Amino acid sequence: MLSFVSDSEVDVSQIPAYLKYLVDSGVDGLYICGTTGEGYSLTNDEKVAIVSAWRQAIDAQNAGHLLSVVNVSSTCLKESLQLSRKVQDLGFDAIAVLPPIYYKPTNVGEWVDYMRAFTIAAPQTPLYYYHNVARVGELIFDIIKAVAEGVKQLPHLSGLKYADNDFVRFSSLQKNFCKQIKFFMASDSVYHL
């Protein structure tokens, strides 16, 4: 949920009321600047304003019990890493990141190196990989092998948000890595069954 005061300014004033609604509805966590939060469409300054407003609202409403994950994805890696540091400084529970959408990793090693950049930028904050095939496209290597290597090499890799209709792959990921990382299903198809 995101609105703008004008064509160029995000409206963060609605965040406290929205947070109250979510808490009253019994949600367990927040995924900030994700797909429906238009995260990929925002400037880094807009994202900083939004995550800062969320942090203020969470603190003001004593809603720290909610898992708070911020999607830091951008077409600019430098901005994503800067936002990761800001998210860590603000004390969110985790950062999430999509793979690059244009110059995609071409093998498992490149994927691990890309993810490693986020663990270096925010070394005290758990990292979640956001696997969203509908928005980013299919990777040309096996994501199961990538996660296996990530679990070995990236101690901060703590979760995976899975937005893909390949439920066999999701089941395999869970079976192989449920003791090492958390899984969140985010496929719209699940909600229509």
Side-chain angles (χ1 to χ4, degrees):
M1 182 174 137
L2 179 66
S3 68
F4 289 80
V5 176
S6 66
D7 288 343
S8 62
E9 185 182 348
V10 292
D11 179 8
V12 298
S13 67
Q14 63 185 303
I15 290 173
Y18 187 48
L19 176 61
K20 182 180 182 327
Y21 166 78
L22 294 173
V23 169
D24 291 348
S25 297
V27 301
D28 296 322
L30 308 166
Y31 195 83
I32 300 163
C33 291
T35 305
T36 56
E38 301 293 340
Y40 229 95
S41 303
L42 301 170
T43 68
N44 218 42
D45 289 342
E46 290 169 332
K47 291 176 192 177
V48 168
I50 290 168
V51 298
S52 296
W54 273 104
R55 179 79 269 158
Q56 290 172 354
I58 291 166
D59 293 345
Q61 296 183 39
N62 295 318
H65 63 284
L66 298 177
L67 175 66
S68 58
V69 180
V70 178
N71 179 13
V72 298
S73 302
S74 171
T75 55
C76 177
L77 178 58
K78 184 177 180 180
E79 286 188 354
S80 289
L81 298 176
Q82 289 170 346
L83 185 57
S84 297
R85 284 188 282 278
K86 181 67 173 178
V87 167
Q88 177 174 278
D89 291 346
L90 290 171
F92 285 94
D93 295 317
I95 59 172
V97 64
L98 289 157
I101 62 170
Y102 191 76
Y103 292 112
K104 295 180 184 184
T106 60
N107 58 55
V108 169
E110 289 178 3
W111 181 86
V112 170
D113 288 344
Y114 177 75
M115 298 298 286
R116 182 177 287 113
F118 292 91
T119 67
I120 293 168
Q124 280 82 48
T125 305
L127 174 64
Y128 290 8
Y129 174 62
Y130 187 4
H131 184 74
N132 191 333
V133 173
R135 299 286 183 239
V136 180
E138 187 69 61
L139 298 171
I140 61 170
F141 53 87
D142 186 353
I143 190 60
I144 296 170
K145 290 179 182 176
V147 171
E149 205 55 38
V151 166
K152 284 185 212 170
Q153 294 189 39
L154 306 169
H156 290 79
L157 182 60
S158 303
L160 189 145
K161 181 177 177 184
Y162 191 84
D164 184 351
N165 291 330
D166 187 338
F167 301 116
V168 173
R169 178 168 38 195
F170 181 69
S171 177
S172 182
L173 283 161
Q174 281 190 307
K175 177 182 172 192
N176 289 304
F177 308 109
C178 67
K179 293 182 180 168
Q180 293 100 335
I181 63 176
K182 295 179 183 179
F183 288 90
F184 302 93
M185 174 57 84
S187 176
D188 289 340
S189 298
V190 172
Y191 305 115
H192 299 294
L193 294 178

